[in-house]
């Protein structure tokens, strides 16, 4: 299942923590409603910050099927990509057409295939170029392009692909209206209320020397009398402040 | 990724995350979401056993595991209050090692190390399951053999944990207010006797419930018995924890 056998110490991979944080950031940003341009600009910037990549840029397919530059780590990367579009020759375009990643480990060897592009890129001091697809096989929304001054290790490319995946995942959200943070809160509350009710049952059963069912009925009647939820009564019991239950505002 | 210098090399046909999402959602036997996540965690991370659990405040509840080995290794950590899953549930980034016995990790998790060695497990890798700042739980891959995760396995773990968060919350979204999705109900119910026992001990010894939970864990550890066995002994008054 793995395509790369490079053994690394999880904790020692220099960018492991940054990669995990960036991944989480993209997923979170989507649920915060961050817009596409900001998200993709962030992707280009994170690649340069986290990985040993000299420059990076994002090309997206616009509504007319053309390509446009949407985010880049620097002006120079932006210029290069504009150049690609104008010339209609370059790895990024090929990646966009085929949906497959294109790795150019040594640009000088590819000068014949992409003469003007190679000359321009090498003129900026870069020797290697990588284009990774954004989107799925069925729907390519753009490419993440990395420019480097030496061949990138498989680790680095895999990490960049993970960031590209996170950004794509965020952009292609099936149901962007679903607020996962709110759902996480509901899940937390549902679990927490069950736990605290059991804790309160245990305390009351012990205090009044009764069985758990009787303790639960006691919680129910306290809830009924004070007009608050079972979970809030249970919380008050556990915190030993059930005496002030009547002061809890109605919920 | 063995293409020579200067070549253009096509990578896999579809992005990794899509492949993983598709794999997780394949469930011909109706095993359930949690089981599918653990199955793919075993495959993608080369694990011998995997688990996924909710961890909220001090309460741990299992969602699913690919084998009983993962269940006991998880439970041991939450009884001890140490280990990669225990730390991973509270961490922003994955926590783990392929060499639990090395000095560095043995110092960090001495109690868990002994247990892992008896279970013949050398590696444990825990990925936080979270949505932004909201922590939901932890996904852990256990490996009998030593060795660190490849970069690909590590990034696959990140993708799987993110997919887990999204799909589990989507399952929960289908329930009524205050209800619990089927995926979580069993694990949370299994915790009920432990939580109730904590309430009893808190009342007996005039402790906070949290402190009572710690005392119950310590007792379980000292007697070498699972937490819920100790909890049942407390509930039936067979066992009284001394002040």
């Amino acid at each position: 299942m793995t395509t790369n056998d490079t053994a690394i110490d999880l904790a020692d991979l220099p960018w492991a923590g940054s990669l995990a944080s960036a991944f989480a950031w993209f997923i979170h940003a989507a649920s915060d409603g961050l817009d596409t341009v900001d998200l993709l600009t962030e992707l280009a910037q994170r690649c340069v910050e986290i990985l040993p990549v000299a420059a990076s840029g994002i090309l997206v397919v616009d509504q007319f099927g053309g390509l446009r530059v949407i985010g880049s780590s620097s002006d120079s990367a932006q210029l290069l990509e504009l150049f690609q579009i104008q010339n209609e020759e370059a790895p990024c375009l090929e990646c966009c057409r085929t949906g497959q990643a294109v790795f150019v480990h040594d640009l000088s060897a590819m000068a014949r295939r992409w003469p003007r592009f190679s000359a321009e890129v090498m003129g900026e001091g870069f020797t290697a170029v990588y284009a990774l697809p954004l989107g799925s096989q069925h729907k390519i929304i753009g490419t993440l392009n990395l420019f480097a001054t030496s061949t990138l290790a498989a680790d680095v490319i895999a990490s960049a692909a993970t960031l590209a995946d996170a950004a794509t995942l965020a952009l292609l959200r099936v149901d962007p209206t679903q607020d996962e943070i709110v759902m996480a809160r509901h899940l937390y509350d549902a679990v927490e209320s069950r736990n605290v009710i059991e804790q309160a049952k245990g305390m009351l059963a012990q205090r009044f020397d009764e069985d758990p069912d009787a303790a639960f009925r006691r919680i129910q009647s306290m809830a009924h009398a004070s007009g608050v939820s079972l979970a809030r009564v249970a919380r008050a019991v556990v915190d030993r402040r059930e005496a002030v239950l009547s002061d809890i505002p109605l919920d | 990724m063995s293409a020579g210098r200067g070549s253009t090399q096509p990578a896999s046909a579809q992005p990794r995350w899509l492949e993983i999402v598709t794999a997780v959602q394949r469930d011909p036997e109706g095993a359930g979401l949690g089981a599918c996540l653990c199955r793919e965690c075993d495959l993608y991370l080369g694990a011998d056993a995997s688990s996924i659990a909710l961890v909220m405040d001090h309460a741990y509840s299992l969602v699913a595991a690919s084998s009983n080995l993962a269940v006991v290794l998880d439970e041991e950590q939450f009884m001890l209050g140490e280990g990669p899953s225990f730390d991973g549930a509270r961490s922003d980034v994955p926590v783990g090692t392929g060499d639990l016995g090395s000095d560095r990790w043995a110092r960090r998790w001495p109690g868990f190390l002994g247990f892992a060695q008896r279970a013949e497990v050398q590696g444990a890798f825990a990925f936080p399951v979270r949505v932004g700042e909201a922590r939901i739980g932890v996904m852990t891959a256990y490996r009998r053999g030593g060795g660190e995760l490849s970069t690909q396995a590590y990034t696959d773990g990140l993708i799987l944990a993110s997919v887990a968060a999204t799909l589990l919350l989507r399952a929960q979204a289908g329930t009524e207010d205050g209800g619990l999705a089927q995926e979580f109900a069993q694990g949370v119910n299994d915790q009920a006797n432990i939580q109730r026992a904590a309430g009893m001990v808190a009342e007996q010894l005039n402790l906070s419930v949290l402190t009572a939970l710690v005392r119950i864990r310590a007792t379980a550890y000292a007697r070498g018995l699972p937490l819920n066995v100790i909890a049942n002994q407390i509930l039936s008054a067979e066992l009284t924890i001394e002040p």
Side-chain angles (χ1 to χ4, degrees), chain A residues 1 3 8-10 12 16 100-101 103 110 135 151 155 162 165 169 188 194-195 198-199 202-203 206-207 240, chain B residues 5-10 15-17 57 59 148-149 151-152 154-155 178 195-196 199-200 202-204 207:
Chain A
M1 203 58 83
T3 58
I8 44 146
D9 188 326
L10 184 59
D12 289 343
Q100 311 241 314
F103 301 165
M110 303 302 282
T151 298
D155 277 5
T162 298
D165 274 359
L169 208 52
Y188 179 90
R194 277 160 180 73
N195 286 338
E198 290 303 328
Q199 292 164 1
M203 284 180 94
Q206 174 68 28
R207 188 178 305 162
R240 297 188 171 86
Chain B
R5 289 175 69 87
S7 67
T8 62
Q9 182 225 356
R16 196 73 167 178
W17 67 266
D57 289 345
E148 300 306 330
L149 292 178
T151 308
Q152 183 72 65
Y154 178 82
T155 56
Q195 300 298 330
R196 203 184 312 150
M200 267 182 84
E203 185 69 17
Q204 285 163 357
L207 303 170

Side-chain angles (χ1 to χ4, degrees), chain A:
Chain A
M1 203 58 83
T2 58
T3 58
N4 159 14
D5 295 326
T6 319
I8 44 146
D9 188 326
L10 184 59
D12 289 343
L13 182 66
W15 59 82
S18 314
L19 187 63
S21 313
F23 195 93
W25 186 90
F26 283 114
I27 300 303
H28 184 45
S31 54
D32 271 359
L34 193 73
D35 83 17
T36 308
V37 175
D38 291 353
L39 202 132
L40 291 173
T41 303
E42 188 74 24
L43 173 62
Q45 275 164 1
R46 295 273 177 136
C47 284
V48 174
E49 278 166 27
I50 297 170
L51 304 170
V53 165
S56 79
I58 314 283
L59 284 171
V60 295
V61 184
D62 67 22
Q63 69 224 55
F64 308 109
L67 283 173
R68 66 190 179 95
V69 177
I70 198 164
S72 70
S73 65
S74 70
D75 288 345
S76 120
Q78 181 135 17
L79 286 173
L80 283 170
E81 284 170 66
L82 286 169
F83 183 81
Q84 288 182 50
I85 297 168
Q86 287 162 4
N87 286 274
E88 302 222 326
E89 63 158 65
C92 319
L93 298 173
E94 191 174 307
C95 174
C96 229
R97 265 199 305 274
T98 63
Q100 311 241 314
V102 178
F103 301 165
V104 186
H105 294 302
D106 181 0
L107 205 53
S108 62
M110 303 302 282
R112 189 171 296 184
R113 182 159 171 193
W114 297 308
R116 295 188 61 194
F117 174 74
S118 301
E120 192 77 15
V121 173
M122 287 190 289
E124 294 282 341
F126 305 124
T127 60
V129 178
Y130 301 82
L132 305 172
L134 295 170
S136 71
Q137 198 178 6
H138 305 294
K139 189 181 182 205
I140 297 296
I141 57 176
T143 63
L144 165 63
N145 311 297
L146 308 174
F147 299 90
T149 52
S150 62
T151 298
L152 294 183
D155 277 5
V156 177
I157 299 172
S159 299
T162 298
L163 289 178
D165 274 359
T168 312
L169 208 52
L171 290 172
L172 295 184
R173 269 289 147 99
V174 181
D175 181 4
T177 61
Q178 200 170 64
D179 190 341
E180 290 184 326
I181 302 294
V182 171
M183 279 318 306
R185 187 73 224 174
H186 286 170
L187 176 60
Y188 179 90
D189 289 345
V191 173
E192 177 67 9
S193 68
R194 277 160 180 73
N195 286 338
V196 79
I197 288 169
E198 290 303 328
Q199 292 164 1
K201 277 162 70 177
M203 284 180 94
L204 295 175
Q206 174 68 28
R207 188 178 305 162
F208 297 104
D209 192 20
E210 61 194 9
D211 66 28
D213 289 344
F216 185 64
R217 284 194 296 276
R218 194 179 287 275
I219 295 168
Q220 279 179 314
S221 57
M222 287 159 85
H224 185 72
S226 55
V228 302
S229 68
L230 288 174
R232 293 190 75 178
V233 169
R235 170 55 62 199
V237 169
V238 165
D239 292 345
R240 297 188 171 86
R241 48 177 184 78
E242 69 269 28
V244 295
L245 259 184
S246 53
D247 298 334
I248 297 177
L250 294 180
D251 59 1

Side-chain angles (χ1 to χ4, degrees), chain B residues 114-174:
Chain B
F115 193 83
Q117 281 173 336
R118 283 193 296 281
E120 296 178 338
V121 164
Q122 291 189 58
F125 305 91
F127 292 81
V129 175
R130 47 184 290 176
V131 176
E133 297 304 308
R135 294 164 204 282
I136 299 169
V138 66
M139 177 185 87
T140 311
Y142 296 100
R143 302 211 294 192
R144 292 194 183 278
E148 300 306 330
L149 292 178
S150 68
T151 308
Q152 183 72 65
Y154 178 82
T155 56
D156 287 348
L158 289 176
I159 294 173
L160 261 173
S162 168
V163 167
T166 297
L167 295 182
L168 288 171
L169 286 180
R170 199 167 290 168
Q172 174 66 12

